[in-house]
Each structure stands twice: as structure tokens, then as C-alpha cells.
Amino acid sequence: MSRPRRVVLGTSSLAAGAMASLLCLAIALAVTNGGNWFLPMFLATLIWGAVPATVLAFCLGAPLGVLLQPVRNQWLHVAAFGGLGALLGLSLGAFTSRPWSSSDPAYLLSAALMMGGSLAIGRLAVWRLVRVDPEGRQAHLSA
């Protein structure tokens, strides 16, 4: 009886995906909120977001990647990471909104779309770094 093939992404690939996601989010925030302050907003997002992006990638992205190992369709991985980002965006948008704007659906939708799109693009950025483990073993693969 053959074991199922598993999709494996290494630690450095996870870090590269997190940085690609952070870069996309910084661009999105700078474009939508920066105006004449595009560069300061972009740099501030990169600087202040590096640690949270890394923590979220290893605390939420790694377990999601482990759950998706048996799934070989890469588009489902991209969709799952986009959905995770949308949930994060909704929760962070609800957490950071003021009491009078918490029911503003446009604010929550924009937060969900920016985070979901950023995470989906980050997962798409590491598409070529995925290795397929034909034996279904958890071999040490860091790419």
C-alpha cells in the first residue's frame, strides 16, 4: 500500500512567503493610506510589521501548511492562505477600529481584502519552492 504524496515547504520558504506577504501589505497600505506620505508609510509598515509577520507566519502559516500537506493542488493552498489572511484582516480590523466605526463594513472589507490578498500573493510567491515528498515521509527539506 503506497503512502500519499505530501507537499512540503521548508522553513526558509515560509520566511520568504512571509516577507513577500509583508511587502505586498506594505505596498497596499501605502497606496491606500499614504497619499503624499507613500514612502514613510511603506517603510513604517515594513519596520513595524516584520516581527508580527514572522510570528504569524510561524504560528498560523506553519500549522496551515502542515494541514495542507496531503493536498497537491497548489491553488487550494493559495486559496487557504488567502482565507486565513481574510480572517486575520477581519479580526484585526474589528480590533483596531474605533467604537463608532466598528460596524463600518467598508473598513472591515478593506482590511480583509488587503490581508487576504497579501497572504495569497505570499503563498503564490513560494510556489516554485514546494517539494513533493513521494514517500509521504517527513524528510528534512529546507528550501
Side-chain angles (χ1 to χ4, degrees), residues 87-128:
L87 287 175
L88 280 172
L90 280 175
S91 61
L92 290 175
F95 180 71
T96 60
S97 64
R98 295 179 182 94
W100 59 86
S101 69
S102 64
S103 61
D104 183 21
Y107 178 75
L108 295 175
L109 181 64
S110 66
L113 286 175
M114 279 193 271
M115 289 285 289
S118 295
L119 261 67
I121 290 172
R123 178 56 182 88
L124 198 58
V126 296
W127 184 305
R128 296 264 183 196

PDB file of all heavy atoms in Angstrom, residues 87-128:
ATOM      1  N   LEU A  87      -9.512  36.249   7.299  1.00  0.00           N
ATOM      2  CA  LEU A  87      -9.956  36.129   8.698  1.00  0.00           C
ATOM      3  C   LEU A  87      -9.103  36.976   9.626  1.00  0.00           C
ATOM      4  O   LEU A  87      -9.613  37.619  10.551  1.00  0.00           O
ATOM      5  CB  LEU A  87      -9.915  34.662   9.138  1.00  0.00           C
ATOM      6  CG  LEU A  87     -10.986  33.757   8.562  1.00  0.00           C
ATOM      7  CD1 LEU A  87     -10.752  32.311   8.990  1.00  0.00           C
ATOM      8  CD2 LEU A  87     -12.359  34.224   8.995  1.00  0.00           C
ATOM      9  N   LEU A  88      -7.793  36.991   9.383  1.00  0.00           N
ATOM     10  CA  LEU A  88      -6.904  37.846  10.174  1.00  0.00           C
ATOM     11  C   LEU A  88      -7.239  39.318   9.967  1.00  0.00           C
ATOM     12  O   LEU A  88      -7.255  40.103  10.922  1.00  0.00           O
ATOM     13  CB  LEU A  88      -5.446  37.597   9.802  1.00  0.00           C
ATOM     14  CG  LEU A  88      -4.768  36.395  10.405  1.00  0.00           C
ATOM     15  CD1 LEU A  88      -3.391  36.206   9.779  1.00  0.00           C
ATOM     16  CD2 LEU A  88      -4.645  36.557  11.898  1.00  0.00           C
ATOM     17  N   GLY A  89      -7.486  39.697   8.723  1.00  0.00           N
ATOM     18  CA  GLY A  89      -7.826  41.087   8.421  1.00  0.00           C
ATOM     19  C   GLY A  89      -9.126  41.510   9.080  1.00  0.00           C
ATOM     20  O   GLY A  89      -9.230  42.615   9.618  1.00  0.00           O
ATOM     21  N   LEU A  90     -10.131  40.621   9.052  1.00  0.00           N
ATOM     22  CA  LEU A  90     -11.396  40.936   9.719  1.00  0.00           C
ATOM     23  C   LEU A  90     -11.214  41.093  11.221  1.00  0.00           C
ATOM     24  O   LEU A  90     -11.728  42.028  11.833  1.00  0.00           O
ATOM     25  CB  LEU A  90     -12.435  39.844   9.448  1.00  0.00           C
ATOM     26  CG  LEU A  90     -13.151  39.902   8.115  1.00  0.00           C
ATOM     27  CD1 LEU A  90     -14.043  38.688   7.960  1.00  0.00           C
ATOM     28  CD2 LEU A  90     -13.954  41.180   7.998  1.00  0.00           C
ATOM     29  N   SER A  91     -10.471  40.182  11.815  1.00  0.00           N
ATOM     30  CA  SER A  91     -10.295  40.249  13.274  1.00  0.00           C
ATOM     31  C   SER A  91      -9.437  41.448  13.673  1.00  0.00           C
ATOM     32  O   SER A  91      -9.751  42.143  14.643  1.00  0.00           O
ATOM     33  CB  SER A  91      -9.701  38.953  13.813  1.00  0.00           C
ATOM     34  OG  SER A  91      -8.438  38.719  13.244  1.00  0.00           O
ATOM     35  N   LEU A  92      -8.353  41.711  12.933  1.00  0.00           N
ATOM     36  CA  LEU A  92      -7.532  42.879  13.251  1.00  0.00           C
ATOM     37  C   LEU A  92      -8.269  44.181  12.946  1.00  0.00           C
ATOM     38  O   LEU A  92      -8.119  45.160  13.670  1.00  0.00           O
ATOM     39  CB  LEU A  92      -6.207  42.820  12.486  1.00  0.00           C
ATOM     40  CG  LEU A  92      -5.230  41.751  12.944  1.00  0.00           C
ATOM     41  CD1 LEU A  92      -4.018  41.706  12.033  1.00  0.00           C
ATOM     42  CD2 LEU A  92      -4.801  41.974  14.372  1.00  0.00           C
ATOM     43  N   GLY A  93      -9.075  44.191  11.885  1.00  0.00           N
ATOM     44  CA  GLY A  93      -9.878  45.370  11.578  1.00  0.00           C
ATOM     45  C   GLY A  93     -10.904  45.654  12.650  1.00  0.00           C
ATOM     46  O   GLY A  93     -11.117  46.804  13.043  1.00  0.00           O
ATOM     47  N   ALA A  94     -11.550  44.612  13.164  1.00  0.00           N
ATOM     48  CA  ALA A  94     -12.518  44.801  14.241  1.00  0.00           C
ATOM     49  C   ALA A  94     -11.824  45.208  15.534  1.00  0.00           C
ATOM     50  O   ALA A  94     -12.352  46.006  16.315  1.00  0.00           O
ATOM     51  CB  ALA A  94     -13.313  43.519  14.457  1.00  0.00           C
ATOM     52  N   PHE A  95     -10.621  44.708  15.748  1.00  0.00           N
ATOM     53  CA  PHE A  95      -9.874  45.026  16.972  1.00  0.00           C
ATOM     54  C   PHE A  95      -9.342  46.452  16.962  1.00  0.00           C
ATOM     55  O   PHE A  95      -9.317  47.117  17.985  1.00  0.00           O
ATOM     56  CB  PHE A  95      -8.724  44.028  17.135  1.00  0.00           C
ATOM     57  CG  PHE A  95      -7.887  44.250  18.351  1.00  0.00           C
ATOM     58  CD1 PHE A  95      -8.387  43.984  19.616  1.00  0.00           C
ATOM     59  CD2 PHE A  95      -6.591  44.730  18.236  1.00  0.00           C
ATOM     60  CE1 PHE A  95      -7.611  44.193  20.738  1.00  0.00           C
ATOM     61  CE2 PHE A  95      -5.808  44.943  19.345  1.00  0.00           C
ATOM     62  CZ  PHE A  95      -6.317  44.673  20.611  1.00  0.00           C
ATOM     63  N   THR A  96      -8.904  46.926  15.794  1.00  0.00           N
ATOM     64  CA  THR A  96      -8.279  48.250  15.720  1.00  0.00           C
ATOM     65  C   THR A  96      -9.251  49.366  15.392  1.00  0.00           C
ATOM     66  O   THR A  96      -8.869  50.527  15.430  1.00  0.00           O
ATOM     67  CB  THR A  96      -7.162  48.272  14.655  1.00  0.00           C
ATOM     68  OG1 THR A  96      -7.723  47.961  13.386  1.00  0.00           O
ATOM     69  CG2 THR A  96      -6.064  47.298  15.008  1.00  0.00           C
ATOM     70  N   SER A  97     -10.500  49.052  15.069  1.00  0.00           N
ATOM     71  CA  SER A  97     -11.437  50.111  14.716  1.00  0.00           C
ATOM     72  C   SER A  97     -11.927  50.829  15.966  1.00  0.00           C
ATOM     73  O   SER A  97     -11.943  50.280  17.061  1.00  0.00           O
ATOM     74  CB  SER A  97     -12.618  49.537  13.934  1.00  0.00           C
ATOM     75  OG  SER A  97     -13.338  48.659  14.754  1.00  0.00           O
ATOM     76  N   ARG A  98     -12.337  52.053  15.772  1.00  0.00           N
ATOM     77  CA  ARG A  98     -12.897  52.835  16.870  1.00  0.00           C
ATOM     78  C   ARG A  98     -14.313  52.357  17.127  1.00  0.00           C
ATOM     79  O   ARG A  98     -14.949  51.779  16.246  1.00  0.00           O
ATOM     80  CB  ARG A  98     -12.871  54.305  16.492  1.00  0.00           C
ATOM     81  CG  ARG A  98     -11.461  54.806  16.341  1.00  0.00           C
ATOM     82  CD  ARG A  98     -11.488  56.271  15.935  1.00  0.00           C
ATOM     83  NE  ARG A  98     -10.139  56.749  15.750  1.00  0.00           N
ATOM     84  CZ  ARG A  98      -9.492  56.778  14.605  1.00  0.00           C
ATOM     85  NH1 ARG A  98     -10.077  56.323  13.520  1.00  0.00           N
ATOM     86  NH2 ARG A  98      -8.270  57.232  14.523  1.00  0.00           N
ATOM     87  N   PRO A  99     -14.843  52.621  18.302  1.00  0.00           N
ATOM     88  CA  PRO A  99     -16.194  52.124  18.603  1.00  0.00           C
ATOM     89  C   PRO A  99     -17.257  52.585  17.607  1.00  0.00           C
ATOM     90  O   PRO A  99     -18.164  51.850  17.283  1.00  0.00           O
ATOM     91  CB  PRO A  99     -16.478  52.681  19.997  1.00  0.00           C
ATOM     92  CG  PRO A  99     -15.147  52.937  20.591  1.00  0.00           C
ATOM     93  CD  PRO A  99     -14.220  53.251  19.453  1.00  0.00           C
ATOM     94  N   TRP A 100     -17.148  53.791  17.075  1.00  0.00           N
ATOM     95  CA  TRP A 100     -18.166  54.281  16.155  1.00  0.00           C
ATOM     96  C   TRP A 100     -17.972  53.781  14.733  1.00  0.00           C
ATOM     97  O   TRP A 100     -18.857  53.907  13.912  1.00  0.00           O
ATOM     98  CB  TRP A 100     -18.210  55.814  16.164  1.00  0.00           C
ATOM     99  CG  TRP A 100     -16.908  56.447  15.785  1.00  0.00           C
ATOM    100  CD1 TRP A 100     -16.471  56.713  14.533  1.00  0.00           C
ATOM    101  CD2 TRP A 100     -15.877  56.854  16.662  1.00  0.00           C
ATOM    102  NE1 TRP A 100     -15.219  57.267  14.573  1.00  0.00           N
ATOM    103  CE2 TRP A 100     -14.834  57.370  15.876  1.00  0.00           C
ATOM    104  CE3 TRP A 100     -15.704  56.844  18.051  1.00  0.00           C
ATOM    105  CZ2 TRP A 100     -13.659  57.864  16.409  1.00  0.00           C
ATOM    106  CZ3 TRP A 100     -14.533  57.339  18.576  1.00  0.00           C
ATOM    107  CH2 TRP A 100     -13.528  57.843  17.765  1.00  0.00           C
ATOM    108  N   SER A 101     -16.802  53.230  14.429  1.00  0.00           N
ATOM    109  CA  SER A 101     -16.577  52.742  13.070  1.00  0.00           C
ATOM    110  C   SER A 101     -16.464  51.228  12.990  1.00  0.00           C
ATOM    111  O   SER A 101     -16.170  50.693  11.943  1.00  0.00           O
ATOM    112  CB  SER A 101     -15.316  53.368  12.490  1.00  0.00           C
ATOM    113  OG  SER A 101     -14.184  52.874  13.161  1.00  0.00           O
ATOM    114  N   SER A 102     -16.680  50.539  14.096  1.00  0.00           N
ATOM    115  CA  SER A 102     -16.514  49.086  14.082  1.00  0.00           C
ATOM    116  C   SER A 102     -17.559  48.402  13.217  1.00  0.00           C
ATOM    117  O   SER A 102     -17.341  47.300  12.737  1.00  0.00           O
ATOM    118  CB  SER A 102     -16.557  48.526  15.502  1.00  0.00           C
ATOM    119  OG  SER A 102     -17.824  48.761  16.067  1.00  0.00           O
ATOM    120  N   SER A 103     -18.706  49.061  13.017  1.00  0.00           N
ATOM    121  CA  SER A 103     -19.725  48.436  12.184  1.00  0.00           C
ATOM    122  C   SER A 103     -19.607  48.880  10.725  1.00  0.00           C
ATOM    123  O   SER A 103     -20.446  48.525   9.918  1.00  0.00           O
ATOM    124  CB  SER A 103     -21.113  48.783  12.726  1.00  0.00           C
ATOM    125  OG  SER A 103     -21.293  50.190  12.674  1.00  0.00           O
ATOM    126  N   ASP A 104     -18.572  49.644  10.401  1.00  0.00           N
ATOM    127  CA  ASP A 104     -18.380  50.095   9.032  1.00  0.00           C
ATOM    128  C   ASP A 104     -17.903  48.927   8.177  1.00  0.00           C
ATOM    129  O   ASP A 104     -16.763  48.477   8.310  1.00  0.00           O
ATOM    130  CB  ASP A 104     -17.368  51.241   8.999  1.00  0.00           C
ATOM    131  CG  ASP A 104     -17.179  51.813   7.618  1.00  0.00           C
ATOM    132  OD1 ASP A 104     -18.079  51.616   6.770  1.00  0.00           O
ATOM    133  OD2 ASP A 104     -16.142  52.459   7.382  1.00  0.00           O
ATOM    134  N   PRO A 105     -18.756  48.407   7.307  1.00  0.00           N
ATOM    135  CA  PRO A 105     -18.358  47.235   6.522  1.00  0.00           C
ATOM    136  C   PRO A 105     -17.243  47.533   5.524  1.00  0.00           C
ATOM    137  O   PRO A 105     -16.460  46.643   5.203  1.00  0.00           O
ATOM    138  CB  PRO A 105     -19.637  46.810   5.808  1.00  0.00           C
ATOM    139  CG  PRO A 105     -20.591  47.920   5.950  1.00  0.00           C
ATOM    140  CD  PRO A 105     -20.138  48.789   7.073  1.00  0.00           C
ATOM    141  N   ALA A 106     -17.136  48.764   5.054  1.00  0.00           N
ATOM    142  CA  ALA A 106     -16.079  49.091   4.090  1.00  0.00           C
ATOM    143  C   ALA A 106     -14.703  48.977   4.741  1.00  0.00           C
ATOM    144  O   ALA A 106     -13.756  48.498   4.117  1.00  0.00           O
ATOM    145  CB  ALA A 106     -16.289  50.496   3.536  1.00  0.00           C
ATOM    146  N   TYR A 107     -14.584  49.410   5.991  1.00  0.00           N
ATOM    147  CA  TYR A 107     -13.305  49.322   6.704  1.00  0.00           C
ATOM    148  C   TYR A 107     -12.908  47.869   6.921  1.00  0.00           C
ATOM    149  O   TYR A 107     -11.778  47.468   6.655  1.00  0.00           O
ATOM    150  CB  TYR A 107     -13.410  50.063   8.037  1.00  0.00           C
ATOM    151  CG  TYR A 107     -12.162  49.988   8.878  1.00  0.00           C
ATOM    152  CD1 TYR A 107     -11.047  50.738   8.555  1.00  0.00           C
ATOM    153  CD2 TYR A 107     -12.099  49.163   9.993  1.00  0.00           C
ATOM    154  CE1 TYR A 107      -9.891  50.681   9.311  1.00  0.00           C
ATOM    155  CE2 TYR A 107     -10.957  49.095  10.764  1.00  0.00           C
ATOM    156  CZ  TYR A 107      -9.857  49.856  10.416  1.00  0.00           C
ATOM    157  OH  TYR A 107      -8.720  49.786  11.168  1.00  0.00           O
ATOM    158  N   LEU A 108     -13.854  47.067   7.385  1.00  0.00           N
ATOM    159  CA  LEU A 108     -13.568  45.653   7.631  1.00  0.00           C
ATOM    160  C   LEU A 108     -13.285  44.902   6.331  1.00  0.00           C
ATOM    161  O   LEU A 108     -12.393  44.058   6.276  1.00  0.00           O
ATOM    162  CB  LEU A 108     -14.719  44.999   8.387  1.00  0.00           C
ATOM    163  CG  LEU A 108     -14.967  45.513   9.801  1.00  0.00           C
ATOM    164  CD1 LEU A 108     -16.206  44.862  10.397  1.00  0.00           C
ATOM    165  CD2 LEU A 108     -13.767  45.270  10.680  1.00  0.00           C
ATOM    166  N   LEU A 109     -14.027  45.237   5.271  1.00  0.00           N
ATOM    167  CA  LEU A 109     -13.814  44.585   3.988  1.00  0.00           C
ATOM    168  C   LEU A 109     -12.449  44.936   3.414  1.00  0.00           C
ATOM    169  O   LEU A 109     -11.747  44.058   2.893  1.00  0.00           O
ATOM    170  CB  LEU A 109     -14.918  44.963   3.005  1.00  0.00           C
ATOM    171  CG  LEU A 109     -14.832  44.322   1.624  1.00  0.00           C
ATOM    172  CD1 LEU A 109     -14.987  42.812   1.727  1.00  0.00           C
ATOM    173  CD2 LEU A 109     -15.877  44.909   0.706  1.00  0.00           C
ATOM    174  N   SER A 110     -12.053  46.203   3.531  1.00  0.00           N
ATOM    175  CA  SER A 110     -10.738  46.582   3.001  1.00  0.00           C
ATOM    176  C   SER A 110      -9.618  45.910   3.786  1.00  0.00           C
ATOM    177  O   SER A 110      -8.623  45.474   3.199  1.00  0.00           O
ATOM    178  CB  SER A 110     -10.568  48.101   3.004  1.00  0.00           C
ATOM    179  OG  SER A 110     -10.538  48.600   4.319  1.00  0.00           O
ATOM    180  N   ALA A 111      -9.772  45.802   5.104  1.00  0.00           N
ATOM    181  CA  ALA A 111      -8.758  45.112   5.907  1.00  0.00           C
ATOM    182  C   ALA A 111      -8.676  43.637   5.523  1.00  0.00           C
ATOM    183  O   ALA A 111      -7.582  43.083   5.372  1.00  0.00           O
ATOM    184  CB  ALA A 111      -9.078  45.259   7.396  1.00  0.00           C
ATOM    185  N   ALA A 112      -9.836  43.003   5.331  1.00  0.00           N
ATOM    186  CA  ALA A 112      -9.858  41.591   4.952  1.00  0.00           C
ATOM    187  C   ALA A 112      -9.264  41.378   3.563  1.00  0.00           C
ATOM    188  O   ALA A 112      -8.497  40.432   3.348  1.00  0.00           O
ATOM    189  CB  ALA A 112     -11.290  41.060   5.002  1.00  0.00           C
ATOM    190  N   LEU A 113      -9.584  42.253   2.625  1.00  0.00           N
ATOM    191  CA  LEU A 113      -9.054  42.107   1.266  1.00  0.00           C
ATOM    192  C   LEU A 113      -7.555  42.340   1.215  1.00  0.00           C
ATOM    193  O   LEU A 113      -6.834  41.623   0.510  1.00  0.00           O
ATOM    194  CB  LEU A 113      -9.772  43.053   0.311  1.00  0.00           C
ATOM    195  CG  LEU A 113     -11.202  42.665  -0.064  1.00  0.00           C
ATOM    196  CD1 LEU A 113     -11.847  43.748  -0.917  1.00  0.00           C
ATOM    197  CD2 LEU A 113     -11.229  41.335  -0.773  1.00  0.00           C
ATOM    198  N   MET A 114      -7.070  43.342   1.948  1.00  0.00           N
ATOM    199  CA  MET A 114      -5.624  43.602   1.936  1.00  0.00           C
ATOM    200  C   MET A 114      -4.848  42.455   2.563  1.00  0.00           C
ATOM    201  O   MET A 114      -3.848  41.994   2.004  1.00  0.00           O
ATOM    202  CB  MET A 114      -5.313  44.907   2.667  1.00  0.00           C
ATOM    203  CG  MET A 114      -5.527  46.123   1.812  1.00  0.00           C
ATOM    204  SD  MET A 114      -4.828  47.597   2.518  1.00  0.00           S
ATOM    205  CE  MET A 114      -6.180  48.171   3.499  1.00  0.00           C
ATOM    206  N   MET A 115      -5.296  41.974   3.715  1.00  0.00           N
ATOM    207  CA  MET A 115      -4.585  40.879   4.375  1.00  0.00           C
ATOM    208  C   MET A 115      -4.726  39.574   3.590  1.00  0.00           C
ATOM    209  O   MET A 115      -3.761  38.845   3.420  1.00  0.00           O
ATOM    210  CB  MET A 115      -5.107  40.688   5.799  1.00  0.00           C
ATOM    211  CG  MET A 115      -4.720  41.775   6.759  1.00  0.00           C
ATOM    212  SD  MET A 115      -3.020  41.684   7.273  1.00  0.00           S
ATOM    213  CE  MET A 115      -3.050  40.251   8.305  1.00  0.00           C
ATOM    214  N   GLY A 116      -5.936  39.281   3.128  1.00  0.00           N
ATOM    215  CA  GLY A 116      -6.148  38.052   2.366  1.00  0.00           C
ATOM    216  C   GLY A 116      -5.369  38.045   1.071  1.00  0.00           C
ATOM    217  O   GLY A 116      -4.731  37.050   0.715  1.00  0.00           O
ATOM    218  N   GLY A 117      -5.392  39.160   0.364  1.00  0.00           N
ATOM    219  CA  GLY A 117      -4.621  39.259  -0.880  1.00  0.00           C
ATOM    220  C   GLY A 117      -3.132  39.168  -0.639  1.00  0.00           C
ATOM    221  O   GLY A 117      -2.409  38.525  -1.404  1.00  0.00           O
ATOM    222  N   SER A 118      -2.664  39.786   0.429  1.00  0.00           N
ATOM    223  CA  SER A 118      -1.225  39.747   0.733  1.00  0.00           C
ATOM    224  C   SER A 118      -0.769  38.330   1.061  1.00  0.00           C
ATOM    225  O   SER A 118       0.280  37.888   0.593  1.00  0.00           O
ATOM    226  CB  SER A 118      -0.911  40.681   1.899  1.00  0.00           C
ATOM    227  OG  SER A 118      -1.161  42.008   1.539  1.00  0.00           O
ATOM    228  N   LEU A 119      -1.544  37.618   1.868  1.00  0.00           N
ATOM    229  CA  LEU A 119      -1.153  36.250   2.199  1.00  0.00           C
ATOM    230  C   LEU A 119      -1.242  35.332   0.991  1.00  0.00           C
ATOM    231  O   LEU A 119      -0.392  34.444   0.819  1.00  0.00           O
ATOM    232  CB  LEU A 119      -1.994  35.707   3.348  1.00  0.00           C
ATOM    233  CG  LEU A 119      -1.331  35.769   4.713  1.00  0.00           C
ATOM    234  CD1 LEU A 119      -1.146  37.189   5.177  1.00  0.00           C
ATOM    235  CD2 LEU A 119      -2.100  34.966   5.715  1.00  0.00           C
ATOM    236  N   ALA A 120      -2.244  35.530   0.151  1.00  0.00           N
ATOM    237  CA  ALA A 120      -2.358  34.703  -1.056  1.00  0.00           C
ATOM    238  C   ALA A 120      -1.175  34.958  -1.992  1.00  0.00           C
ATOM    239  O   ALA A 120      -0.595  34.021  -2.535  1.00  0.00           O
ATOM    240  CB  ALA A 120      -3.675  34.998  -1.768  1.00  0.00           C
ATOM    241  N   ILE A 121      -0.785  36.217  -2.147  1.00  0.00           N
ATOM    242  CA  ILE A 121       0.368  36.535  -3.001  1.00  0.00           C
ATOM    243  C   ILE A 121       1.652  35.994  -2.382  1.00  0.00           C
ATOM    244  O   ILE A 121       2.541  35.513  -3.091  1.00  0.00           O
ATOM    245  CB  ILE A 121       0.443  38.055  -3.264  1.00  0.00           C
ATOM    246  CG1 ILE A 121      -0.710  38.464  -4.175  1.00  0.00           C
ATOM    247  CG2 ILE A 121       1.774  38.445  -3.877  1.00  0.00           C
ATOM    248  CD1 ILE A 121      -0.866  39.952  -4.353  1.00  0.00           C
ATOM    249  N   GLY A 122       1.756  36.055  -1.056  1.00  0.00           N
ATOM    250  CA  GLY A 122       2.933  35.491  -0.389  1.00  0.00           C
ATOM    251  C   GLY A 122       3.050  33.992  -0.610  1.00  0.00           C
ATOM    252  O   GLY A 122       4.140  33.468  -0.845  1.00  0.00           O
ATOM    253  N   ARG A 123       1.937  33.284  -0.565  1.00  0.00           N
ATOM    254  CA  ARG A 123       1.960  31.834  -0.824  1.00  0.00           C
ATOM    255  C   ARG A 123       2.241  31.552  -2.291  1.00  0.00           C
ATOM    256  O   ARG A 123       2.947  30.619  -2.633  1.00  0.00           O
ATOM    257  CB  ARG A 123       0.631  31.203  -0.397  1.00  0.00           C
ATOM    258  CG  ARG A 123       0.522  29.711  -0.664  1.00  0.00           C
ATOM    259  CD  ARG A 123       1.643  28.931  -0.005  1.00  0.00           C
ATOM    260  NE  ARG A 123       1.572  27.527  -0.278  1.00  0.00           N
ATOM    261  CZ  ARG A 123       2.125  26.934  -1.335  1.00  0.00           C
ATOM    262  NH1 ARG A 123       2.777  27.625  -2.235  1.00  0.00           N
ATOM    263  NH2 ARG A 123       2.029  25.626  -1.497  1.00  0.00           N
ATOM    264  N   LEU A 124       1.702  32.403  -3.153  1.00  0.00           N
ATOM    265  CA  LEU A 124       1.960  32.268  -4.581  1.00  0.00           C
ATOM    266  C   LEU A 124       3.430  32.519  -4.900  1.00  0.00           C
ATOM    267  O   LEU A 124       3.988  31.903  -5.812  1.00  0.00           O
ATOM    268  CB  LEU A 124       1.072  33.252  -5.345  1.00  0.00           C
ATOM    269  CG  LEU A 124       0.830  33.035  -6.813  1.00  0.00           C
ATOM    270  CD1 LEU A 124       0.217  31.671  -7.068  1.00  0.00           C
ATOM    271  CD2 LEU A 124      -0.079  34.121  -7.343  1.00  0.00           C
ATOM    272  N   ALA A 125       4.078  33.377  -4.129  1.00  0.00           N
ATOM    273  CA  ALA A 125       5.493  33.704  -4.368  1.00  0.00           C
ATOM    274  C   ALA A 125       6.416  32.517  -4.109  1.00  0.00           C
ATOM    275  O   ALA A 125       7.491  32.433  -4.695  1.00  0.00           O
ATOM    276  CB  ALA A 125       5.911  34.876  -3.486  1.00  0.00           C
ATOM    277  N   VAL A 126       6.008  31.605  -3.247  1.00  0.00           N
ATOM    278  CA  VAL A 126       6.867  30.453  -2.930  1.00  0.00           C
ATOM    279  C   VAL A 126       6.387  29.179  -3.622  1.00  0.00           C
ATOM    280  O   VAL A 126       6.793  28.082  -3.256  1.00  0.00           O
ATOM    281  CB  VAL A 126       6.978  30.233  -1.396  1.00  0.00           C
ATOM    282  CG1 VAL A 126       7.657  31.404  -0.742  1.00  0.00           C
ATOM    283  CG2 VAL A 126       5.627  29.967  -0.771  1.00  0.00           C
ATOM    284  N   TRP A 127       5.560  29.331  -4.615  1.00  0.00           N
ATOM    285  CA  TRP A 127       5.001  28.196  -5.354  1.00  0.00           C
ATOM    286  C   TRP A 127       6.102  27.284  -5.882  1.00  0.00           C
ATOM    287  O   TRP A 127       6.035  26.063  -5.764  1.00  0.00           O
ATOM    288  CB  TRP A 127       4.165  28.732  -6.498  1.00  0.00           C
ATOM    289  CG  TRP A 127       3.426  27.720  -7.308  1.00  0.00           C
ATOM    290  CD1 TRP A 127       3.949  26.632  -7.946  1.00  0.00           C
ATOM    291  CD2 TRP A 127       2.043  27.703  -7.565  1.00  0.00           C
ATOM    292  NE1 TRP A 127       2.961  25.952  -8.606  1.00  0.00           N
ATOM    293  CE2 TRP A 127       1.772  26.592  -8.384  1.00  0.00           C
ATOM    294  CE3 TRP A 127       0.986  28.521  -7.212  1.00  0.00           C
ATOM    295  CZ2 TRP A 127       0.507  26.286  -8.841  1.00  0.00           C
ATOM    296  CZ3 TRP A 127      -0.270  28.205  -7.662  1.00  0.00           C
ATOM    297  CH2 TRP A 127      -0.504  27.105  -8.460  1.00  0.00           C
ATOM    298  N   ARG A 128       7.142  27.835  -6.467  1.00  0.00           N
ATOM    299  CA  ARG A 128       8.221  27.045  -7.072  1.00  0.00           C
ATOM    300  C   ARG A 128       9.143  26.397  -6.041  1.00  0.00           C
ATOM    301  O   ARG A 128       9.942  25.537  -6.394  1.00  0.00           O
ATOM    302  CB  ARG A 128       9.052  27.920  -8.000  1.00  0.00           C
ATOM    303  CG  ARG A 128       8.282  28.445  -9.156  1.00  0.00           C
ATOM    304  CD  ARG A 128       8.517  27.567 -10.308  1.00  0.00           C
ATOM    305  NE  ARG A 128       7.819  28.101 -11.481  1.00  0.00           N
ATOM    306  CZ  ARG A 128       7.598  27.388 -12.530  1.00  0.00           C
ATOM    307  NH1 ARG A 128       8.005  26.152 -12.581  1.00  0.00           N
ATOM    308  NH2 ARG A 128       6.963  27.902 -13.548  1.00  0.00           N
TER     309      ARG A 128
END
